[in-house]
Amino acid sequence: MTGESYVATRPPGWQGQLGGCGIASCISLDGRTIPGDSIARMLTIMEERENGLGAGYACYGLFPERKDQYCLQLFFDDEEGKRSAEELMAGRLDIVHDEKVFIRRNSTVTPPYPIVWRFFANVPERREWRGALDLSEEDYMVELVQYINASVPKAFCVSSGKDMAVFKGNGYSYEIADLYDIGRYSGTLWLSHSRFPTNSPAWWAGAHPLSLLDWGVCHNGEITSYGVNRKLVEMNGYRCTVLTDTEVVVYLWDLLVRRHRLPVEVAAFAMAPSPYAEIALLPPAERRLAEWVRIAYREAFLNGPFSIIVGRSQPEISLIALADRKKLRPMIAGVSPDGGLAYCASEESAIRIVEPEARTWAPGAGNPFIAAVGKGVLRKGTEPSFQGVRL
Amino acid sequence: MSEGAGAGKRLDHRLPERFVPTIDHDLCRACQRCVKDCSYQALEFRGSRVVPAGGCVACGRCIAVCPANCIEVRPVPPQFAPHGNWSERARRAILAQASSGGVLLSSCGADDDRPAIFDDLLLDAAQVTNPSIDPLREPVETVTYLGRRPGRLEVQDGRVVVREGDTPLIRLDMPLMFGHISLGSISYNAQKALFMAAKELNIVAGSGEGGLHPDLYEYADRICSEVASGRFGIKPEYLKEVAAVEIKIGQGAKPGHGGHLPGEKVTAMISETRMIPLGTDALSPYPHHDVYSIEDLAQLISVLKEATEYRTPVGVKIAAVHNVGAIASGVVRAGADFLTVDGFKGGTGAAPRVIRDHAGLPIEVAISAVDQRLVREGLRNRVTVCAGGGVRSSADMIKALALGADVVMVSTAALIAMGCRVCQQCHRGLCSWGIATQRDDLVARLDPYIASARVVHLFHAWNEELKEVLGAMGIDSVESLVGNRDRLRYRGPNPKIAEVMGVKHIGEGWG
């Protein structure tokens, strides 16, 4: 693979990216840990869905010893980027531990490689950020991470959640798995993504999963309403630094579910709502809710083709999978015969390669699949809208 | 006005005709239908032939009624000595003012040939990386809500609480509304046709500032009632029944001006509906004399909400002026449930030409300025933005939506659908089509059922074209187009305009 490659620094003239993708995820329903090799096999089998310009993995339930601390994983172009970021964080976070993230010295991935560093931190009691004194712990972290990504040169924070981390870069799925030696990690939820972008240069920080706090999102598709969705997140204080539709999807989940406290099913409906003609057929209480979700969260409606897998660790480690309301991009779900593991992926092959006897099904258009570690599949993605939502 | 030494003398010069109706006498049957129908008396029957009598305005009525199809209205070639700077238009204006000594009145929108920015914008379409959608096979939605939105939903004890605003939202089946055209500026039949069309299309129609005729109360649930500075004909009987109430601060054709209904058009019916004396000019004040500031506006909004018992959304219409973004923000903060922005090329039944042609801001720039400003202030998802003024086609409508309007306001195009030929004589009250007139014999020419059906056709066609374009863009619901300036490109002469509007130049991609 030739062509320019960028790590933490945004490529000059970068205006975003588009293209197709492969996505795969695996969640432990019974609490067993899932080795990284397993997710790498799921992703790499779908090699027709990538062209070597980006791949990545997110692991949840990764740091059981430190699960109450924020894990910030950063890319640095060089030592200077690291110093700048460390200086910024020094007075603003209580960093309890930091370490280099393992990266192989020899790889087929096109250099340059970033310095990848991991910081475990607590948020200090006194949380000031540009005059705002009453920020919640999470909002403070969002401000800090977004500030680093927008303003600290040669540094980019790729993940910042509790009990999770993102491993991604510019290469084929198997190259990135190999580069990070993904098999050395195991967790209870994995997300993964391989890209088929139609543009270059490639940017390590722009690869998926995109993450903020504990939210991790892998996305296959192109949001035709990006300009509208971006307005909503910007109105709510998020700063778009990656300039992709996927980034906006991350912020929308954070806004709707963490900040506005909407149930996941309701947030999913806001992003992939039923047509008004179908809403009109719902029972009265649901109809009223559906109409108002559409009206109030009009700018959260993700139009155009997409399928996404979303991970979070708070309040519990869980996986959400969602396709657009016409289901223009693929999404298949499955459960292992013993019921201990669940999968969501672009292609059935990704599930069969690790679980030949899995029971699979296709979640519906705009219908979320939801599963939580230790709880099982909470929603298959085939139920009526709002089933389980308190009205 | 002192006329000095010229007092009592005839001052006006005879000027060259601008149009001449030309009769093919080989075909003419001398039925004189054209003579009878020409309300401008530009044709006469002399001897055995119909001949031009001067004063033709090119309203086209004679052509439409001629059974022999033997009339052509020809523009008269330039009669003034050519001059690059002293256009015929400039010289005619001077000659007219030298005769009358008055402010030149005109009607319809600014008629000079300054190009519309709409024409410099190109739409995007989906290719490969996202699929386009065929609206004939799959749903593409155009439902739009008018009014104040909550911005978020509340969750209490794990239950999503729908807390509506203090005023309701109005559902429109398409992102279109008829602008405000008063009874007075147009005829009873013309206004009835608009209201009937609004009802059938399930959209709303503006009442204009002339009050509401009792016979038209049955359309109240589809009417947006205007509260303008003259407060003409406002009655609680209908105010509580209408779909929406709109405070008119300004109009695109005449920003900073009040309304002007020439006395010729104030007939008994108009006088009753507006509650003003017969035959007098209805001049509404330039400002609302109880709104000298934004806090006054907030009070008026509250008063109207109280008066209507919170049964309708209350909006504010402003003319697009240079500081429109900040004004819009103030209006939203003052409590307006929706905001209407009327652009530079917007129509009028009568306006001073100097203002119509020289004051204001093109609607394209105004929409994006308002949208960007409201986003920056975190207000955009609370309020509905309606915009219009010079929207000529579905393409203009679609571009207005993409620039940031939720609802596009259309007036002149609806009148054209009824028969208007845009001859710009509305202020004279002689409309030969029965639209902008109060003369009974002329009004009777307009069948409101036919006129309404034609307007319904037009809007249906535009809405279908909207769906076609949305589908081509890979968008299956209109709200995902609103303010989606990413899907527009600018190809005009001045890239600064594109920058101000937040629209990329042609050739600039994003991947």
Side-chain angles (χ1 to χ4, degrees), chain A residues 16-40:
Chain A
Q17 61 188 9
L18 42 87
C21 304
I23 56 180
S25 58
C26 177
I27 184 167
S28 162
L29 304 176
D30 58 8
R32 77 178 84 159
T33 56
I34 306 162
D37 290 337
S38 178
I39 191 74

Side-chain angles (χ1 to χ4, degrees), chain A residues 170-190:
Chain A
N170 174 25
Y172 280 98
S173 55
Y174 54 85
E175 290 178 310
I176 298 302
D178 180 63
L179 181 80
Y180 285 100
D181 188 23
I182 212 79
R184 67 168 55 218
Y185 301 107
S186 60
T188 47
L189 165 64
W190 282 93

Side-chain angles (χ1 to χ4, degrees), chain A residues 244-256:
Chain A
T244 67
D245 43 11
T246 313
E247 172 188 36
V248 167
V249 176
V250 177
Y251 303 159
L252 285 176
W253 281 104
D254 189 52
L255 176 68
L256 268 57

Side-chain angles (χ1 to χ4, degrees), chain A residues 358-382:
Chain A
R359 184 167 51 81
T360 60
W361 70 91
N367 205 337
F369 164 100
I370 306 168
V373 170
K375 284 194 176 169
V377 175
L378 306 176
R379 192 182 161 93
K380 294 177 68 182
T382 51

Side-chain angles (χ1 to χ4, degrees), chain A residues 159-291:
Chain A
S159 65
S160 51
K162 289 177 177 173
D163 204 12
M164 59 84 69
V166 165
F167 307 93
K168 63 184 183 180
N170 174 25
Y172 280 98
S173 55
Y174 54 85
E175 290 178 310
I176 298 302
D178 180 63
L179 181 80
Y180 285 100
D181 188 23
I182 212 79
R184 67 168 55 218
Y185 301 107
S186 60
T188 47
L189 165 64
W190 282 93
L191 312 179
S192 66
H193 180 269
S194 56
R195 274 181 73 205
F196 197 134
T198 45
N199 66 323
S200 61
W203 181 27
W204 284 58
H208 298 204
L210 286 162
S211 182
L212 181 69
L213 294 176
D214 56 312
W215 295 104
V217 174
C218 296
H219 164 218
N220 168 21
E222 183 174 323
I223 307 295
T224 53
S225 54
Y226 171 68
V228 177
N229 311 129
R230 180 175 172 172
K231 284 200 287 195
L232 179 62
V233 298
E234 288 183 341
M235 273 193 283
N236 283 283
Y238 296 92
R239 274 179 285 181
C240 294
T241 51
V242 188
L243 306 183
T244 67
D245 43 11
T246 313
E247 172 188 36
V248 167
V249 176
V250 177
Y251 303 159
L252 285 176
W253 281 104
D254 189 52
L255 176 68
L256 268 57
V257 176
R258 180 181 66 83
R259 284 172 58 187
H260 290 183
R261 307 203 333 268
L262 294 183
V264 169
E265 295 87 341
V266 175
F269 186 87
M271 293 184 210
S274 304
Y276 282 112
E278 284 177 26
I279 289 176
L281 304 175
L282 292 171
E286 292 181 17
R287 186 172 70 219
R288 185 172 144 84
L289 176 62
E291 277 175 357

Side-chain angles (χ1 to χ4, degrees), chain B residues 72-237:
Chain B
E72 271 180 19
V73 173
R74 296 186 184 157
V76 176
Q79 304 288 299
F80 289 71
H83 193 289
N85 195 37
W86 291 99
S87 64
E88 180 172 332
R89 180 188 173 87
R91 279 177 274 180
R92 277 185 182 274
I94 291 171
L95 290 164
Q97 281 188 303
S99 296
S100 72
V103 171
L104 292 179
L105 281 187
S106 193
S107 38
C108 304
D111 70 338
D112 56 16
D113 55 4
R114 267 176 286 207
I117 298 169
F118 283 132
D119 296 335
D120 293 334
L121 296 170
L122 291 178
L123 301 166
D124 192 22
Q127 293 289 291
V128 184
T129 53
N130 58 44
S132 46
I133 297 159
D134 178 352
L136 294 177
R137 295 188 171 88
E138 295 185 69
V140 172
E141 298 182 279
T142 59
V143 170
T144 298
Y145 282 88
L146 176 76
R148 185 165 278 257
R149 298 194 288 141
R152 62 174 293 180
L153 296 182
E154 303 286 335
V155 178
Q156 283 169 2
D157 308 326
R159 200 185 294 267
V160 182
V161 183
V162 175
R163 191 174 293 137
E164 297 175 26
D166 52 10
T167 54
L169 285 155
I170 306 302
R171 180 184 160 124
L172 313 177
D173 282 354
M174 50 185 76
L176 282 168
M177 65 178 281
F178 296 116
H180 287 272
I181 320 175
S182 69
L183 179 64
S185 75
I186 56 170
S187 64
Y188 176 89
N189 284 357
Q191 192 172 50
K192 181 173 178 176
L194 287 176
F195 292 169
M196 288 167 63
K199 192 140 195 156
E200 183 164 349
L201 293 164
N202 199 40
I203 60 174
V204 295
S207 68
E209 87 158 307
L212 192 59
H213 192 281
D215 292 354
L216 300 176
Y217 284 7
E218 63 176 293
Y219 302 101
D221 64 340
R222 287 287 125 196
I223 291 173
C224 176
S225 177
E226 183 164 282
V227 176
S229 56
R231 308 284 156 83
F232 294 129
I234 292 173
K235 291 179 188 162
E237 286 90 328

Side-chain angles (χ1 to χ4, degrees), chain A residues 9 19 49 53 100 102 165 225 239 257-258 307 320 351 377:
Chain A
T9 301
R49 307 188 76 86
L53 287 175
K100 188 179 187 340
F102 176 81
S225 54
R239 274 179 285 181
V257 176
R258 180 181 66 83
S307 62
I320 306 158
I351 299 175
V377 175

